[in-house]
Amino acid sequence: MSGPHDDGRPGRPVPPRGGRTGPALRGLGLAAAAGALLLVGLLSVWVGTRGIPFTATWHVLWNPDGSETSVIIHDYRVPRTVLGALVGTALGLSGALMQALTRNPLADPGMLGVNLGASAGVVVAIAFFGIAAPLGYVWFALAGAAGASLGVYLLGSSGRKLASPERLVVAGAAVTAVLYAFNWAVLLLNPRAFDQFRFWTVGSLAGRSHDIVLMALPFVGTGLILALALAPSLNALAMGDQMGRALGVNVGRTRALGAAAVMLLCGAATAAAGPIGFVGLAVPHVARFVVGPDQRWVFAYSMLLAPVLLLGADVLGRVLGAPGEVQVGIVTAFLGAPLFIALCRRRKLVML
């Protein structure tokens, strides 16, 4: 069945109203995803470069006693696990939101220049201010992500036209190219800054403290509320801007708030853990494969499945790299790429 384009031409497929499963099964699937997140969270607290029996881990988790084991669990592994869950939720939700906003199944949060903007902020902090600690440059990364997102939206909405998905993508590509050139021009002229920057750009949860978790939490929380509130409007816009307006959706405001939510979610996640690829791209496809095109369910599943993938990759990196570890950004690339290829082969990707 096909419906009209925005300009009245036929041929655009109308998204099906129902998902692949009924509401009861989708609810059970959501509960299963929550259980998987709890399980992988416990594994993240238990597994590490320092071997600690599970019984000892469970005891000090609820009864901190100031011992060396307690310090390892509460000062290192718990913040790392909480940050992994927070970053995974932000990346999964921002990826689903980005694909819904642009109606492009290959869109990821970096398309609005968020990742490169955060990278530019870190480059400035390291090269010009001599800041090397994560808690120091995380604010620069967040400011860079915000500035890049704002620049993309202003370019995409310049003139008399609204910020359409196509204009946002083109503006994002232009801003990304400029920021990429700026970053590498600075880094190639400053070997010391490059040496420090390369550890951030691979993406990692290691060495992050409670302070970084607390820094990221309000931004991710605000972005989460914005994204969930926009889900019904995005369902209407999936049938085209004209149909969305007929259903009472303010198209310009929806896209502006959606871009702000992507900036808050992806900006905070990238600032806290570095750029981590494939999570925001692949997980929403898994969610849509399970529940269909309804953004309310896609957002809910993405919020749970993405931290499962991220924390699972972090645990796997610790196991494979023992007695050291493989950074989570490397592991997600190895896990996410085959997963995405399998989804592409199993199910034809169509315009959203």
Side-chain angles (χ1 to χ4, degrees), residues 174-192:
V175 171
T176 295
V178 171
L179 291 175
Y180 183 85
F182 168 79
N183 287 349
W184 284 104
V186 173
L187 292 173
L188 290 175
L189 295 174
N190 192 330
R192 179 189 61 83

Side-chain angles (χ1 to χ4, degrees), residues 144-210:
S149 299
L150 180 62
V152 167
Y153 189 79
L154 291 177
L155 283 175
S157 57
S158 60
R160 297 181 179 180
K161 295 183 179 180
L162 293 174
S164 65
E166 295 80 8
R167 288 167 65 90
L168 285 175
V169 169
V170 172
V175 171
T176 295
V178 171
L179 291 175
Y180 183 85
F182 168 79
N183 287 349
W184 284 104
V186 173
L187 292 173
L188 290 175
L189 295 174
N190 192 330
R192 179 189 61 83
F194 173 76
D195 191 52
Q196 294 178 352
F197 176 77
R198 64 191 178 95
F199 290 104
W200 177 83
T201 195
V202 74
S204 175
L205 300 175
R208 270 52 173 183
S209 63
H210 289 288

Side-chain angles (χ1 to χ4, degrees), residues 5-20:
H5 283 279
D6 290 346
D7 56 3
R9 292 181 290 109
R12 184 185 180 90
V14 176
R17 295 182 180 180
R20 294 176 174 267

